[in-house]
């Protein structure tokens, strides 16, 4: 069987919105003919066991903040040693780290997808975000966002951005009077 290999970056070692978003989609989609690879700059990756059970490949690399040279070298090696990967899907909160996108261009990836999950700078350097935004615009072949606010934050206002709602089961969070009463009784309220 001919597999399409997709490299995903932007997940972390903590369970957050991006991690839940990616895992929800992977659990519910038909993965036939697809092989997912993950860049992991942490000791562990949120959901790593589940990802590996689904046949995903995790490429562990050094954390950029601890050892930048090793990090960049190892990320480069992932691209060089895995020529079967032709698609990059970056989950991003800001345009302050574009190295995987630049490598995807260098290695001739046929599709580079940038997926915005943020709407403001959280912990990164705002100046890097604003400097990286024009380059991101050139490198991204497809632009996705979880909201119009996230789209405007990462991409230019009039960019063609496809909005994709987060993969959550809304029914799980609907109001239920019986659940409310049960919780209140349990808390003695």
């Amino acid at each position: 069987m001919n597999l399409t290999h997709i490299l995903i970056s932007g997940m972390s070692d903590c369970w957050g919105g991006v991690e839940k978003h990616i895992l929800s989609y992977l659990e519910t989609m038909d993965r036939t003919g697809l092989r997912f690879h993950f860049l992991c700059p942490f000791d562990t990756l949120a959901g790593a066991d589940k990802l590996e059970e689904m046949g995903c490949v995790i490429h562990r690399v050094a954390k950029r903040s601890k050892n930048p040279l090793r990090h960049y070298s190892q990320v480069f090696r992932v691209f060089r040693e895995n020529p079967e990967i032709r698609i990059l899907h970056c989950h991003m909160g800001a345009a302050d780290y574009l190295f995987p996108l630049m490598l995807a261009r260098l290695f001739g990836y046929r599709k580079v997808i940038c997926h915005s999950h943020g709407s403001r700078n959280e912990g990164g350097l705002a100046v890097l975000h604003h400097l990286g935004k024009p380059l991101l615009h050139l490198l991204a072949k497809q632009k996705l966002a979880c909201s119009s606010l996230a789209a405007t934050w990462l991409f230019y206002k009039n960019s063609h951005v496809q909005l994709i709602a987060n993969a959550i089961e809304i029914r799980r969070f609907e109001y239920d009077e019986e659940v409310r009463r049960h919780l209140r009784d349990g808390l003695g309220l």
Side-chain angles (χ1 to χ4, degrees), residues 7-181:
L7 178 62
I8 298 176
S9 73
M11 282 185 64
S12 75
D13 55 345
C14 300
W15 278 105
V18 172
E19 293 72 22
K20 288 178 183 174
H21 170 87
I22 293 170
L23 213 53
S24 293
Y25 273 111
L26 288 177
E27 288 175 328
T28 58
M29 73 186 294
D30 178 9
R31 297 182 308 276
T32 306
L34 302 173
R35 166 79 37 90
F36 292 92
H37 299 250
F38 288 83
L39 271 179
C40 175
F42 303 96
D43 293 332
T44 186
L45 190 65
D49 293 342
K50 202 170 239 188
L51 291 170
E52 288 173 335
E53 281 176 24
M54 289 189 270
C56 299
V57 179
I58 299 174
H59 300 277
R60 288 179 168 75
V61 297
K63 193 169 183 176
R64 187 171 40 133
S65 61
K66 288 189 178 179
N67 192 332
L69 290 177
R70 178 182 279 162
H71 170 81
Y72 289 114
S73 168
Q74 290 177 343
V75 172
F76 181 84
R77 189 175 308 130
V78 168
F79 279 77
R80 187 185 69 220
E81 294 178 358
N82 295 279
E84 71 279 7
I85 301 172
R86 306 307 300 153
I87 299 171
L88 174 65
H89 191 142
C90 286
H91 293 268
M92 307 175 76
D96 58 354
Y97 176 66
L98 304 178
F99 190 60
L101 288 90
M102 291 185 277
L103 289 177
R105 174 65 68 105
L106 177 71
F107 283 91
Y109 278 31
R110 63 183 168 96
K111 187 171 256 186
V112 177
I113 304 162
C114 292
H115 196 151
S116 177
H117 291 274
S119 58
R120 64 185 182 281
N121 205 28
E122 294 180 12
L125 297 172
V127 69
L128 288 179
H129 169 72
H130 293 292
L131 290 172
K133 203 169 173 176
L135 185 56
L136 173 66
H137 184 72
L138 294 172
L139 294 171
K141 293 184 179 175
Q142 186 174 359
K143 299 172 184 121
L144 307 175
C146 61
S147 70
S148 56
L149 192 58
T152 304
W153 165 250
L154 195 58
F155 310 112
Y156 290 107
K157 192 169 188 153
N158 293 324
S159 292
H160 177 69
V161 179
Q162 182 181 355
L163 296 182
I164 296 180
N166 286 328
I168 58 170
E169 298 174 47
I170 295 172
R171 285 188 179 86
R172 289 180 52 208
F173 301 98
E174 289 178 345
Y175 178 76
D176 185 324
E177 181 62 38
E178 190 175 319
V179 171
R180 177 184 185 269
R181 192 172 325 114

